[in-house]
């Protein structure tokens, strides 16, 4: 399902997030998963309803301006900076639950709809900015950003024009404000295409093989001056596609039937249906905003298929990038 053209954007620029969760899934770490930002959007929408703001949020985009992992540097093995737990009742060292943290400098973009008149839009954006400043983003705390002037941190309501030429100019102005930075996009197309490439050499190759192959930087050796006295090996890095590709979680897939509310013992919520799931993975690409043609390129949205047991997020950048 491809999203339709958006009409209004709410931009929360240059938020500083401290100690966000850097463990994005059981198999990936680094930048928080997009499901964390969709969760923020849903929590924000509930808070807005509580204070009587007639606002609906539908899609979310994230531009990262700075990322600082709280981990050791150097070498092939890195470790998270962990807190020291208090001793247990016997005086011994208590077990440590590993927690990965990162400091972020991000811009959040939401699609927004409201029944309020246009003169109230600026005030609504300001109120939303104040509410977000007191919320958790991917488990991290929003703190004052001392590195950016205050006028560049003001929430902004952008009503996009219906005319393509004017809409393009509006988005061009926004993109300039978001530099330097990178937006996370979805590249399902690369994963599918790379699987076909691997199966040409190994018919038994799976999507997992393709995902792992795209998640690493492969090196191969060639011989320079082969057969001559000065023959020497030369190592080169091999990348099947251009761009800054990363493995990412994109949602959850069902591994059990759907249980009735209260049927599963010790469930967190006894009023909601319950299902066991596991993480779904794909390939993402960090793209500079200036390379994007329209706002929909950087926005993520919920794209569930409950009959198939898929609860996942989607992004349409790859649908346009593949034909450019």
């Amino acid at each position: 399902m491809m999203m339709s053209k958006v009409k209004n954007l709410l931009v929360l620029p240059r938020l500083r997030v401290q100690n966000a969760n850097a463990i994005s899934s059981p198999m990936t770490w680094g930048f928080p998963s997009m499901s964390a930002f969709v969760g923020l959007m849903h929590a924000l929408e509930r808070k807005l309803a509580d204070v009587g703001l007639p606002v609906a949020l539908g899609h979310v985009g994230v531009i990262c301006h700075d990322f600082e992992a709280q981990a050791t540097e150097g070498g092939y093995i890195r470790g998270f900076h962990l807190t020291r737990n208090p001793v247990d009742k016997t005086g011994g060292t208590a077990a440590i639950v590993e927690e990965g943290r990162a400091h972020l400098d991000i811009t959040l973009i939401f699609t927004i709809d409201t029944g309020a008149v246009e003169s109230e839009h600026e005030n609504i954006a300001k109120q939303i900015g104040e509410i977000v400043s007191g919320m958790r983003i991917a488990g991290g705390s929003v703190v004052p950003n001392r590195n950016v002037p205050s006028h560049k941190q003001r929430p902004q309501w952008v009503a996009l024009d219906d005319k393509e030429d004017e809409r393009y100019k509006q988005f061009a102005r926004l993109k300039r404000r978001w530099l330097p930075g990178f937006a996370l996009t979805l590249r399902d197309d690369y994963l599918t295409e790379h699987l076909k490439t691997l199966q040409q050499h190994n018919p038994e190759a799976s999507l997992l093989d393709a995902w792992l192959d795209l998640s690493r930087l492969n090196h191969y050796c060639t011989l320079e001056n082969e057969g001559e006295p000065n023959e020497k090996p030369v190592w080169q890095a091999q990348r099947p596609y251009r761009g800054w590709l990363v493995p990412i979680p994109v949602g959850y897939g069902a591994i059990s039937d759907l249980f009735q509310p209260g049927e599963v013992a010790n469930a967190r919520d006894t009023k909601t249906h319950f299902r066991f799931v596991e993480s779904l993975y794909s390939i993402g690409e960090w793209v500079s905003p200036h390379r994007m043609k329209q706002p929909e390129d950087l926005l993520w949205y919920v794209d569930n298929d409950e009959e198939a047991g898929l609860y996942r997020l989607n992004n349409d950048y790859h649908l346009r990038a593949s034909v450019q």
Side-chain angles (χ1 to χ4, degrees), residues 230-242:
N230 60 341
E231 174 185 288
K232 65 177 181 179
V234 177
W235 287 91
Q236 295 179 326
Q238 183 181 32
R239 306 193 66 173
Y241 303 103
R242 298 177 60 186

Side-chain angles (χ1 to χ4, degrees), residues 25 40-41 50 54 67 87 104 113 135 149 170 248 250 272:
S25 76
L40 165 72
M41 180 178 67
D50 291 340
F67 175 86
V87 296
L104 311 173
D113 289 307
M135 296 178 66
Q170 287 177 301
I248 59 172
V250 292
T272 306

Side-chain angles (χ1 to χ4, degrees), residues 137-167:
I137 298 180
S141 303
V142 181
V143 299
N145 194 342
R146 307 297 185 188
N147 298 323
V148 180
S150 59
H151 70 275
K152 292 185 178 181
Q153 301 181 51
R154 294 172 186 164
Q156 182 182 12
W157 184 300
V158 182
L160 296 171
D161 200 285
D162 292 333
K163 298 179 180 179
E164 287 298 329
D165 291 345
E166 185 59 32
R167 187 184 182 92

Side-chain angles (χ1 to χ4, degrees), residues 70-85:
Q70 301 304 292
T72 56
E73 297 290 341
Y76 291 101
I77 299 177
R78 305 178 70 182
F80 291 118
H81 296 166
L82 302 177
T83 58
R84 179 73 175 184
N85 290 356

Side-chain angles (χ1 to χ4, degrees), residues 273-293:
H273 288 77
F274 187 94
R275 174 175 266 175
F276 291 95
V277 297
E278 62 182 1
S279 291
L280 299 176
Y281 299 93
S282 187
I283 292 296
E285 180 181 4
W286 287 105
V287 180
S288 178
H290 80 277
R291 297 187 179 276
M292 296 182 169
K293 304 298 183 183

